[in-house]
Amino acid sequence: SAVISQKPSRDICQRGTSLTIQCQVDSQVTMMFWYRQQPGQSLTLIATANQGSEATYESGFVIDKFPISRPNLTFSTLTVSNMSPEDSSIYLCSVDGQGPYNEQFFGPGTRLTVL
Amino acid sequence: AQSVTQLDSHVSVSEGTPVLLRCNYSSSYSPSLFWYVQHPNKGLQLLLKYTSAATLVKGINGFEAEFKKSETSFHLTKPSAHMSDAAEYFCVVIPGGGGNKLTFGTGTQLKVEL
């Protein structure tokens, strides 16, 4: 399985500001995913990021609010823009295990609190 | 359409007793099914996966799950709970027929008491 790291692990931000979260994988992967886990809730997919193409966003998520970069096969960033307290969540990146059954492996998450 | 339902939001067991976490799915095709565990302030770890090779799937840390197509269930079990099993458990489905998007259940919080 891939080893995935995220930076920062946690942050406290003021409303109206933006935060960029980094996700680094120790091997080349085709697909990377970004999820949001609101307090006490399950995970919701924000977008899928493939290298060399624009991210594909799920219903309810837009590029202006959550711009994503995928400059190479081992790295991706998610920006949470113009933050409000409702954006307080854990943000997780994951990678496609590249096996035949499409399991994913997750990073440790970034815990964001917006004041 | 496909979805996954975890029937219990909280389960409490005594250490050394069996664990049963229930999951039902709906899928138009033969799905891939997973159980993930999330310990406090940690990321998600894959416990086990069903891939149609065998209906009884063994995972890490003594956990098992049985795929029952007739009941559309994929319940997670462990014969004897340990304190370290206390965590949030997510049942996850990918529909068959192609695709790679995970759909997460709402999670079950497992509490293990002495």
Side-chain angles (χ1 to χ4, degrees), chain B residues 5-98:
Chain B
T5 302
Q6 291 184 244
L7 295 151
D8 307 294
S9 59
H10 294 83
V11 170
S12 183
V13 301
S14 298
E15 191 175 34
T17 64
V19 175
L20 170 64
L21 305 183
R22 298 182 294 167
C23 173
N24 285 95
Y25 70 92
S26 65
S27 176
S28 302
Y29 303 93
S30 180
S32 293
L33 292 157
F34 311 89
W35 278 96
Y36 283 84
V37 60
Q38 185 178 35
H39 289 274
N41 301 311
K42 297 270 182 79
L44 276 82
Q45 182 182 20
L46 179 64
L47 268 181
L48 50 80
K49 60 188 176 187
Y50 167 72
T51 60
S52 76
T55 57
L56 181 62
V57 182
K58 294 184 184 298
I60 61 172
N61 300 334
F63 283 95
E64 294 182 347
E66 186 171 7
F67 174 73
K68 292 187 176 180
K69 186 175 181 179
S70 60
E71 299 177 9
T72 60
S73 69
F74 190 57
H75 301 334
L76 182 70
T77 61
K78 183 174 180 177
S80 176
H82 191 273
M83 294 296 290
S84 61
D85 295 327
E88 185 91 19
Y89 291 79
F90 293 97
C91 184
V92 181
V93 64
I94 299 178

Side-chain angles (χ1 to χ4, degrees), chain A residues 21-86:
Chain A
I21 302 167
Q22 299 178 6
C23 180
Q24 180 76 52
V25 191
D26 69 342
S27 58
Q28 293 184 341
V29 293
T30 305
M31 304 184 77
M32 297 179 76
F33 306 86
W34 287 97
Y35 291 83
R36 180 176 71 182
Q37 186 178 23
Q38 294 177 299
Q41 303 292 316
S42 187
L43 278 74
T44 301
L45 179 65
I46 297 172
T48 302
N50 289 337
Q51 194 267 336
S53 62
E54 287 199 5
T56 302
Y57 289 83
E58 297 300 303
S59 175
F61 298 96
V62 295
I63 187 171
D64 289 346
K65 176 66 176 177
F66 297 102
I68 288 171
S69 78
R70 181 79 201 273
N72 57 52
L73 291 172
T74 63
F75 188 78
S76 178
T77 67
L78 169 76
T79 299
V80 186
S81 303
N82 188 24
M83 289 183 285
S84 68
E86 291 71 35

Side-chain angles (χ1 to χ4, degrees), chain A residues 7 11 13 26 39 47 60 67 75-76 78 85-86 89 92 109-110:
Chain A
K7 290 181 181 179
D11 207 342
C13 301
D26 69 342
F75 188 78
S76 178
L78 169 76
E86 291 71 35
S89 296
L92 300 102
T110 295

